[in-house]
Amino acid sequence: MRIIGGSESGLRLATPKGSGVRPTVDRVREAIFNRLAADIVGAKILDLFSGTGAIGLESASRGAGSVLSVEKSPRHARIIDQNIRQCGYQRPRVALKLGCAFRSIEQLASLGEYFDFVFADPPFGDKTSGQRSQSMAQRLIDDPNLLAITHARSVVVLGHASRDEIEIPGTWHSLKQNRYGDATIVYLANKISKPTH
């Protein structure tokens, strides 16, 4: 796994051994960042279910103003910290929070924090068959705290299993969806206008 573009382009990233993490593959990250392009420059980024930290580090490499990566696994968090140090990034511009994504967005909402982009590629859910998804992706977009940490021009970039047909609540507008085999990426905008900082 490597950083694809920006100041750290080509830099190899450490990845955890085993099946406990499913990194967003290079071609999918490349497609995401080609779409977002210059909007990343100077943006405030939140990377949930961070895994290897690749999405957050890609954002930083492409000029993001600040990046906060959230990862629940201490083992994976150590890999992210290693990758941050390898890139030479310093706090507070690139920061790592060890903890649950859902608890973290609750805390961030209580502090009145807003993010320009929220990336989330949680563990895949089961195939949806005649019932509403119970996956983490569905839980996340149902969570009012996610809405609370975004503003009118924010974009949430959410990955989920293509077999898992998530239901987008009325508080979100689907800007675009792209399928990459087993994975689908959906771009969501907050329908409720809020001022930005």
Side-chain angles (χ1 to χ4, degrees):
M1 174 164 287
R2 62 189 175 88
I3 292 180
I4 299 162
S7 61
E8 306 302 323
S9 179
L11 184 70
R12 292 282 174 182
L13 300 175
T15 57
K17 292 181 172 61
S19 58
V21 67
R22 177 187 46 79
T24 307
V25 297
D26 287 358
R27 71 182 181 92
V28 176
R29 276 189 295 121
E30 185 171 19
I32 289 170
F33 283 95
N34 283 346
R35 175 177 171 78
L36 302 178
D39 292 337
I40 290 293
V41 177
K44 189 175 180 181
I45 307 293
L46 177 63
D47 180 25
L48 300 171
F49 307 96
S50 193
T52 62
I55 289 283
L57 293 171
E58 186 77 40
S59 299
S61 179
R62 292 171 184 254
S66 67
V67 174
L68 175 59
S69 294
V70 177
E71 173 54 49
K72 185 177 181 179
S73 163
R75 183 168 71 92
H76 297 163
R78 286 193 292 272
I79 297 289
I80 297 170
D81 186 59
Q82 177 184 335
N83 285 331
I84 291 172
R85 286 185 282 107
Q86 182 180 348
C87 291
Y89 295 131
Q90 303 291 324
R91 288 177 178 265
R93 184 183 173 224
V94 178
L96 169 64
K97 178 177 173 58
L98 179 63
C100 166
F102 297 98
R103 178 61 180 149
S104 294
I105 61 172
E106 180 183 6
Q107 293 168 343
L108 291 165
S110 71
L111 293 170
E113 295 280 0
Y114 292 97
F115 294 88
D116 301 308
F117 291 93
V118 178
F119 294 95
D121 194 10
F124 278 176
D126 297 328
K127 182 177 180 180
T128 306
S129 55
Q131 61 180 2
R132 197 169 192 273
S133 173
Q134 300 298 311
S135 66
M136 287 191 182
Q138 185 70 63
R139 283 180 56 201
L140 187 63
I141 57 172
D142 287 342
D143 193 324
N145 290 307
L146 182 63
L147 198 70
I149 60 171
T150 60
H151 53 74
R153 292 187 296 276
S154 299
V155 176
V156 173
V157 183
L158 177 68
H160 66 90
S162 297
R163 64 179 179 269
D164 177 27
E165 298 179 10
I166 64 171
E167 183 179 305
I168 299 172
T171 48
W172 296 101
H173 173 60
S174 177
L175 300 172
K176 188 176 180 64
Q177 292 192 37
N178 294 110
R179 182 169 177 167
Y180 304 92
D182 293 340
T184 293
I185 303 294
V186 58
Y187 300 81
L188 300 169
N190 181 342
K191 281 187 178 179
I192 301 173
S193 297
K194 296 176 184 173
T196 59
H197 291 311

